[in-house]
Amino acid sequence: MRAGIMPWVGCGILLAPLAAMAEQATCRVPPATVGCTQAATLQRVGSLSSGRALIQMHCRRVDGTGNWQVLGHHGDAVLLRHLPIQKGEGALYFPAAVLHPVSGHLPSRPSGLLRLVMAGVGAVLLWPLLRYGWRLLRRRQAWRVCRRLVSRHADALRIRRRQLVQVNSYGVERTARWQREQTEFIRTIIKPALLDCRLQWAWPAIADRVLARIGNVASQKLSGEKAGQATGGYAPDMDPIGYERYCADRLRACGWDAHATPPGGDQGADVIATRGGKRLVVQCKLYRNAVGNEAVQQISAARLHYHADIAAVVSNADYTTSARQLARSNKVFLLHHDELPAFAARLARERKKA
């Protein structure tokens, strides 16, 4: 049952006995009693005796024959319908004091105690519904928080998925490392944000939905990446020399004068690129496993040999923890090849500021 309908169902449960009681109650009206179509009009009739005046006020005197069915009440007036029901004959309000019950009882104003009891019963029945609606709204808010965070880190998630999801020799994707990366993203980004908003309790209810959102976003193209640009000559099974040329092509597309060094005797630099007086040396690693310390050591030596300003390792794979530590201490950039355009743009901005 939908949440929006449930409160009305609760009200129906409360009002059903009263409605049934009203339908069963009947009474007699003394002859010559005045009845009006409006309760407010009945109070102004007073001692009017003119039939024309009564008609103008939509009132009339009844002959007292037959029974009248109780439909409801308004203050001290009771709304009655003549039995048997005649076509074109409407219901009238009569003073409650002059009526004589035949079956059931006439509706009356509930006493203060009864109103208090009814209010308490209504509160008891409606509180779970209100609480459910409030929690539903808060869960939706938690979902919006998670969705914004995934969108904010979309490119980083896409890069990490491309680094961590590798294809084995049989063409099957190995996703265990990517699944661990999703767990880390949730632990360090999603859950602290929910805790700050006091929405951490909602996580079990939205966990599957958030994981599906992360997987969907991470599988999309990088921001600004055009159709076909993600491959652009790259393939996981390409040879290392082809990968070096691919990285040089991406740098040239970003405005660098880049070329791959000849195989052998490259002194640790697979690509040398220059732009605006800056020289960049790159070590290219086409791996299926994480890149280790050796690549960082080689490019650090190549930077000294070629008198380069910037050193970077570019790979399709991830990097080991020790490689990241060594890279930080030696000021070496560790990149995925899809990060090259953003990396080149950042270097260009730094050159302009300098």
Side-chain angles (χ1 to χ4, degrees):
M1 184 178 296
R2 297 176 58 182
I5 300 176
M6 294 179 70
W8 298 106
V9 174
C11 294
I13 294 173
L14 289 173
L15 297 177
L18 296 178
M21 195 162 41
E23 289 176 1
Q24 295 173 358
T26 57
C27 63
R28 290 187 178 276
V29 179
T33 302
V34 176
C36 299
T37 57
Q38 299 293 329
T41 306
L42 182 65
Q43 297 173 0
R44 298 197 302 268
V45 169
S47 59
L48 289 177
S49 59
S50 170
R52 183 175 182 181
L54 292 176
I55 293 174
Q56 290 176 348
M57 299 183 71
H58 302 284
C59 301
R60 66 183 177 88
R61 298 184 187 277
V62 298
D63 56 10
T65 61
N67 293 335
W68 294 74
Q69 183 181 20
V70 178
L71 300 180
H73 75 93
H74 185 278
D76 295 328
V78 180
L79 181 64
L80 303 179
R81 179 172 57 188
H82 191 256
L83 298 177
I85 299 173
Q86 301 293 328
K87 184 177 181 181
E89 188 177 28
L92 297 174
Y93 281 98
F94 294 92
V98 303
L99 305 181
H100 304 291
V102 175
S103 65
H105 60 81
L106 299 180
S108 60
R109 284 184 178 274
S111 65
L113 178 61
L114 180 57
R115 288 199 298 269
L116 183 61
V117 171
M118 292 176 64
V121 172
V124 170
L125 291 177
L126 292 179
W127 170 246
L129 303 178
L130 295 174
R131 186 170 181 270
Y132 173 81
W134 174 250
R135 290 179 67 86
L136 180 62
L137 290 175
R138 294 287 281 169
R139 279 200 299 270
R140 290 179 179 175
Q141 183 181 353
W143 162 246
R144 288 194 294 269
V145 169
C146 295
R147 187 175 59 186
R148 284 196 298 268
L149 289 171
V150 172
S151 298
R152 185 183 306 167
H153 297 277
D155 278 350
L157 289 168
R158 289 160 188 160
I159 292 294
R160 292 300 287 160
R161 188 182 188 281
R162 294 180 185 186
Q163 288 178 323
L164 299 175
V165 176
Q166 302 293 326
V167 180
N168 65 16
S169 302
Y170 308 102
V172 178
E173 288 186 343
R174 296 183 296 183
T175 60
R177 295 173 65 195
W178 166 238
Q179 291 172 358
R180 289 195 294 270
E181 182 70 16
Q182 292 181 83
T183 301
E184 181 69 8
F185 177 73
I186 290 168
R187 185 183 69 83
T188 59
I189 301 297
I190 297 291
K191 288 188 175 180
L194 292 177
L195 183 61
D196 289 343
C197 300
R198 298 182 180 180
L199 294 169
Q200 68 277 10
W201 56 268
W203 172 249
I206 62 174
D208 291 342
R209 192 178 179 188
V210 173
L211 282 169
R213 177 71 177 178
I214 293 172
N216 181 54
V217 168
S219 300
Q220 297 171 4
K221 297 181 177 64
L222 291 168
S223 299
E225 191 175 65
K226 298 178 181 179
Q229 186 177 331
T231 55
Y234 166 76
D237 57 350
M238 68 194 310
D239 61 84
I241 295 177
Y243 186 66
E244 294 170 9
R245 293 172 180 169
Y246 166 74
C247 292
D249 289 341
R250 298 209 71 168
L251 285 171
R252 279 196 297 272
C254 297
W256 288 74
D257 181 12
H259 64 275
T261 58
D266 55 21
Q267 303 300 333
D270 297 319
V271 175
I272 300 175
T274 58
R275 182 180 182 182
K278 293 283 187 179
R279 176 171 291 182
L280 166 68
V281 288
V282 180
Q283 173 82 200
C284 302
K285 293 295 183 184
L286 185 66
Y287 276 17
R288 287 190 176 180
N289 298 313
V291 180
N293 282 7
E294 183 181 357
V296 179
Q297 294 166 353
Q298 290 175 355
I299 201 61
S300 296
R303 178 171 53 193
L304 294 175
H305 180 76
Y306 288 102
H307 304 287
D309 303 288
I310 309 156
V313 179
V314 177
S315 177
N316 64 314
D318 194 16
Y319 298 90
T320 64
T321 302
S322 60
R324 292 183 183 277
Q325 293 172 347
L326 186 61
R328 280 194 294 270
S329 62
N330 285 271
K331 297 182 179 179
V332 172
F333 295 94
L334 302 181
L335 308 171
H336 185 272
H337 55 253
D338 284 329
E339 293 179 285
L340 281 172
F343 176 68
R346 187 168 73 248
L347 293 179
R349 287 194 300 269
E350 292 174 356
R351 182 175 62 85
K352 289 181 180 179
K353 290 180 180 179

